[in-house]
Amino acid sequence: MLYWALIFLVVGLVAGLLGASGIAAIAGQISWVLFVIGIILLVIHLVSGRKPPSP
């Protein structure tokens, strides 16, 4: 998830440098949403953790 957020961030930066502000804004929003979802999933994973096996 974070990999795709990074990809869209790079696409947004390149589009911004080339003057395509609409595409840059959309790619920036997509990367932000994917980043937030990735962080939420990471926190859920860390909180749930591995539980010791029951005897």
Side-chain angles (χ1 to χ4, degrees):
M1 185 77 58
L2 295 177
Y3 172 77
W4 284 106
L6 182 63
I7 294 295
F8 276 105
L9 179 64
V10 170
V11 167
L13 290 175
V14 170
L17 288 174
L18 296 176
S21 61
I23 295 172
I26 292 171
Q29 288 296 319
I30 291 172
S31 69
W32 177 250
V33 168
L34 290 176
F35 177 74
V36 169
I37 291 172
I39 294 298
I40 290 171
L41 289 175
L42 176 69
V43 168
I44 290 172
H45 176 72
L46 290 175
V47 167
S48 66
R50 291 184 145 230
K51 302 199 176 21
S54 58

